Amino acid sequence: MTAFIVSACNTSEQSDQGKDTTLISLSPKTVKQIAAVDERYQSYNVETVEVAGGQFWKPYHLMDSLPDLAANSTYDVSQTNDQLYRQLKPLDLTDKRLLILAKGLAPAYVRMSGTWTNGIYFQDNDQPKLTKAPAGFVNVMSRKEFGGLLDFVKATDSKLVTSFAVSNGVRDAQGVWTPKQAQKLADFAKSVGGKIAAAELFNEPTMPTAGGEISKAYNAENFAKDMAAFNAWAEKAVPDMLVLGPGSVGEGSPNVSLQGMGMNILPTEDMLAAKPNPKFDVFSYHYYGAASMRMIRSGPFSVKAENALDAGWLLKTDTVAHYYAGLRDKYNPGIPLWITETAQAAGGGDPFSATFLDTFRYLYQMGSLAKKGVKVIMHNTLIASEYSLIDQDTHLPKPNYWAAYLWAKLMGTQVYETGQGTKGVYVFAHNMKGSKAGVTLLVINTNKKEAPIHIDIDSEHYLLTSSQLEGQTIQLNGTDLKLEDNGELPVLKGKPVKSGELTVPPTSISFFAIPDAGITGPK
């Protein structure tokens, strides 16, 4: 039996020589598997507004100046805001390069949702697409567009996750949600050989008015009644669909109050405590450690590039996970915990989210939350705005895509204890993907100095670096990561490393794959 236990000891190296003085020792001892994640742990969003077309976050390079903050405080996507949004055409989900890149992350959940989903009208006929949404809705999605997403899900070995319209257009005379739109989506998916694997009723009910066309008086009691109606429909109409919820956002971060920023926030605990108590198969939440420069420029719910490697920034994801896990344990104990939407910053991300600098946050979150019992993480988005994995206009991979690609190829579902690492150095371990007896170590060095480590077994080293932290070029073992001349993804190759002491470079990310570590299966 084998495990990797981190211990630290002093070395003779001095910090002014450019090396940390603490040695991280990774030694095979006894197995201690502490968690397991879903095989689709690493997943992503393709927002409904991308599928149907509509207004989405405007890239910074198209802005003459940053948007007026006063105009952003209400955050209602049904209102025209040319400073914040640009018009998107429906995404071509048959694009060859996009399919190649999505297949590189398989298997995954694909979540079609987002704020714009709350007011979406599904036009369930083959007539020309409506140019204006019916009363009570904000946007229109055609059969062709939804069918294209279902084809994409099938082609990429994915499973579909979604949410449904909750706006005035689906409410009865008493203001309670009805399945008139959800049923159409479920029926159409089934008619073309697809299915909805899991769904939240509501995208971010903690900000109920953000999607537009819903009562500003919406409260916890309304949510409880809506969930009762949703569960009754799901149990009868789609019994094999997982019910996710509540899908909350914006809570649990220290010193952050979105209510204090002028946003209308409905606390998750109020919703969960309302009668009849909402019930879910999976407890879901969204996580953003900050809002982007499009929306907020200072304060505890913003982050600057110079602080992107700070422990306080990286560890926020743990604090919020603990908060929502606590609510889960209190109101729906025993059910899995998923993050159905996350990225560097809400509102499309900051400029640095498209660079190597954000890769540290991406992989820290993946590694740390796997240890804390989160089963699935869905990145927002695959291919829209700064925080996407793939560039919206060129369809070329961004640094976070390459991080995700290595995770998909190297990190399995079994999660092992590794201890705490050292200051600025974070260590995680999973079983090695594709190897019954293997282990993969992930070592993230956020320091500006080398970090010494000691591994008792020969390994294959996959080193991610960049000559510019805020650059969009990333190197694997010194060679630029890019698509092959034929457009295919490159075959990943590690550098053989003998057992013993070695150093990981400053501000770098390392995967150490150990195919023959002696692991025999889940413990």
Side-chain angles (χ1 to χ4, degrees), residues 375-395:
K375 300 297 186 183
V376 174
I377 297 177
M378 301 179 188
H379 180 81
N380 202 33
T381 64
L382 180 66
I383 190 168
S385 206
E386 272 72 23
Y387 54 21
S388 63
L389 300 176
I390 301 168
D391 186 87
Q392 186 168 343
D393 297 315
T394 66
H395 288 194

Side-chain angles (χ1 to χ4, degrees), residues 144-336:
K144 179 181 178 181
E145 291 156 358
F146 184 46
L149 178 75
L150 292 169
D151 289 342
F152 174 84
V153 167
K154 182 177 180 180
T156 57
D157 187 22
S158 302
K159 290 186 177 182
L160 177 63
V161 177
T162 192
S163 64
F164 299 107
V166 293
S167 56
N168 294 332
V170 299
R171 296 189 173 275
D172 64 18
Q174 289 71 46
V176 179
W177 180 86
T178 70
K180 60 175 67 176
Q181 283 286 299
Q183 187 67 59
K184 291 179 180 179
L185 284 167
D187 288 346
F188 180 79
K190 184 177 180 180
S191 74
V192 296
K195 64 178 292 186
I196 299 171
E200 293 159 325
L201 165 63
F202 203 137
N203 181 79
E204 298 179 353
T206 35
M207 302 173 64
T209 61
E213 291 294 332
I214 193 171
S215 171
K216 295 188 183 304
Y218 192 89
N219 60 27
E221 289 70 28
N222 295 133
F223 180 78
K225 292 177 181 178
D226 287 350
M227 276 305 305
F230 182 63
N231 278 321
W233 167 75
E235 183 177 1
K236 180 179 179 180
V238 278
D240 57 347
M241 181 187 80
L242 290 173
V243 172
L244 314 180
S248 301
V249 72
E251 301 166 293
S253 291
N255 305 315
V256 173
S257 171
L258 298 186
Q259 195 84 44
M261 289 185 254
M263 297 182 183
N264 180 25
I265 299 299
L266 179 55
T268 297
E269 186 149 22
D270 289 359
M271 291 187 282
L272 298 179
K275 303 297 184 182
N277 295 132
K279 298 299 179 185
F280 316 101
D281 298 317
V282 173
F283 194 100
S284 67
Y285 72 97
H286 298 178
Y287 171 70
Y288 293 97
S292 73
M293 293 166 54
R294 294 177 181 86
M295 306 183 76
I296 295 174
R297 309 250 221 281
S298 62
F301 203 53
S302 66
V303 64
K304 306 296 188 218
E306 56 263 33
N307 303 120
L309 299 181
D310 292 354
W313 165 246
L314 297 177
L315 271 61
K316 266 190 176 185
T317 191
D318 303 316
T319 301
V320 173
H322 179 75
Y323 173 81
Y324 282 116
L327 290 178
R328 183 269 314 269
D329 294 344
K330 183 176 180 179
Y331 292 99
N332 279 245
I335 65 174

